[in-house]
Amino acid sequence: MFKTAMVVFFKEMKDLLRDKKTFIMGLLIPLTLLPVMLFIIDYSMNSSQRRADDEIRIAVSSKDNSFYRFCTAHDDIKVVDVDNTKAAMESGIISAYIKVSENIDDDIVKDKDYTQDLDIQFNTSSIGSMMSTRKIAYYRDLYFILAQSLKKHVSSAEELRNMISNADINGAVMKEYPYTDDDGAANIDMSSMYFNMLVPMMLILYCCVGSSSTASDLSAGEKERGTLEALLSTGADRTSIIVGKLLATTAMGAMSGLCTVLGLSVYLIVSSGTSSFSLTFFEFLALLIITLFTSMFFAAVNLTIGVYSKSSKEAQTYLMPVSVISLIPTYFTYTLDVGSINIEYLCIPIVNIVCVIKEIFAGSLNPLHIGIVVGWLLLYVAAAFSLTSYMFKKESVVFRN
Amino acid sequence: MIKINGISKVFKKCEALKNVTFDVNDGEIVGLLGENGAGKSTLMRIISTMLTPTSGDAQISGHDLLSEPEEVRKSIGILFGSEVGLYERLTARENLAYFASLNGMSSKDASKRISELADIFDFNDYIDRRVGTFSRGMKQKIAIARAIVHDPSAILLDEPDAGLDFKASKIIFDFIEMSKANNKSIIFSSHSIENIKNYSDRMVVIHKGQIIKVFDVHEYREKYSDREINDILFNLVSEGEENV
Ligand SMILES: Nc1ncnc2c1ncn2[C@@H]1O[C@H](COP(=O)(O)OP(=O)(O)O)[C@@H](O)[C@H]1O
Ligand SMILES: [Mg+2]
């Protein structure tokens, strides 16, 4: 039986690898897509960071106050006049809009609480705007420090405004309170958010999609081309045939998954200086194991669908939602904190895969968790495969009318 | 030798075969005549163990259909349609070798048999080219070779003449006659009276899953003219229509 399964397996692999489409979709795209996406994200993060570093453009609600004077006196802040502040933020003309209370100068002079007199508004959907938050918060603090130190020496709002205008902000003040950038902490936070979402998503997607066209080709495709009857009328038993087909489907899924891991490794190696992610040997190994079992699971599911379908077209219709459904858990768990992963999460299909992938990249590899997830995956594989095998032997499925 | 004993097949909605019984001797060609939906393919699928009969059984070369399905499959060669059952991205040789090993042949025996077949059907020139590049006639030869790569004693052809031009059907019928000369038991189904009349020894007329007539083709051809045979068959089918 094993021999026949191997005969089927090797024939299918030969057949599959001669197909350019399989080669491009199954190997080339998974290999290149993830690193390209990650490099693009890094690049755009860096360029928005650079823009945030250069000069901050803001709009201020009124000019008749010491904050406005502070901003104009500061070389790195440019106050822009805009009509529609919201639109200006969305189009990136300004990074923030600051509403200044008309009492601010009086509050400072009269020693009242003036910290509530500045209302800074950001555009939360713009990366450029979010990148400037730290810088703007720093300028606000700088302004408060300055106001605090000057208020003892002034008696009127007018006097305060003049003193701020004449203060040596770009020289002595900046020297005393320099801006400290925590190694672009904001930047890395943003990329890691994307990384944490993209990597499990792409891995799972390619473990699934990598075997879906193969699965339909090897089952429904045979019905369509009329080769299934020739195959089923040979001396081979059906279990061997379907085992051989499952192995070939798994191999294609695993190859796509491994190409994704390989592409990811290229990214990690190239960006090792700038990225906060890296993998140790064991983490890499764990990632490979998870990838392998995940692709096995999807191969079995996809093949079940393929066996049921009458034509490749019908199979594609059913297979498409599988890949979409498989992505939903990755979307809902991307905010999940590694520390809060518990045993319940590790028992939900696909969510558990995302969880261990997150752990691997967070550097908190847990062999027990990996073991639990692999155990579950084996169980799913066994269940899906028994179903495939059962269907492949059932004449009302194989010869659906 | 093929023995078919009272085979019936009920699908969910319809009764596709009703108590079908006939034998095929070694070196005999049985033509299975029936209209579309008569049950020809269903019978072929049952004999090749792809479908299980609802009742009845069969023996092929002494192997029991129900208890020895793998042995049964190894003793039959089957061709559904005229040129199907080939993998386009594999070469002709790879296709044949695949089916040979699925039928349990050693690779040594297989390669010997494949070169034998290449000589018989004259496809040495393109045996190592991918099937996807072949013309229809070339594919047809490979499909026939594929069906008999394991040298089966029974040969089933389900409408092998459907939609073929003159040249292509000659390849098929030459093959059928050659198999007869090699003492195989052959069933070929068709909805063409002409082909069955010309190429079979016995004719089994099947209508809505039931055998309505079995007769010796040679005998009839001596007794009646072509037109008369056609008329007899036409009347049979019309009567069958009334009886069912
Ligand atoms: N897998 C199936 N499920 C249900 N009904 C079927 C199936 N296969 C064939 N039939 C029905 O059985 C009858 C015989 O079909 P078939 O054997 O294909 O006829 P033929 O080959 O003579 O044209 C038809 O009425 C067909 O609709
Ligand atoms: Mg038919």
Side-chain angles (χ1 to χ4, degrees), chain A residues 211-212 214-220 223 242 245-246 249-250 295-311 314-316 318-319 322 380-394 397-398 400:
Chain A
S211 66
S212 69
T214 303
S216 84
D217 198 45
L218 298 198
S219 49
K223 288 189 197 177
I242 199 71
K245 284 177 179 290
L246 179 76
T249 312
T250 305
S295 45
M296 243 174 121
F297 162 61
F298 281 115
V301 171
N302 289 340
L303 194 60
T304 309
I305 293 170
V307 165
Y308 177 75
S309 309
K310 272 188 284 199
S311 65
E314 187 185 340
Q316 293 303 335
Y318 299 141
L319 286 167
V322 173
Y380 307 147
V381 171
F385 183 64
S386 335
L387 186 65
T388 319
S389 177
Y390 167 78
M391 300 232 291
F392 197 59
K393 287 178 189 156
K394 209 168 145 69
V397 171
V398 175
R400 253 171 80 219

Side-chain angles (χ1 to χ4, degrees), chain B residues 35-42 45 80 158-159 189:
Chain B
E35 295 176 302
N36 263 340
K40 305 181 295 294
S41 298
T42 304
R45 284 181 178 146
F80 279 91
D158 190 31
E159 304 205 28
S189 77

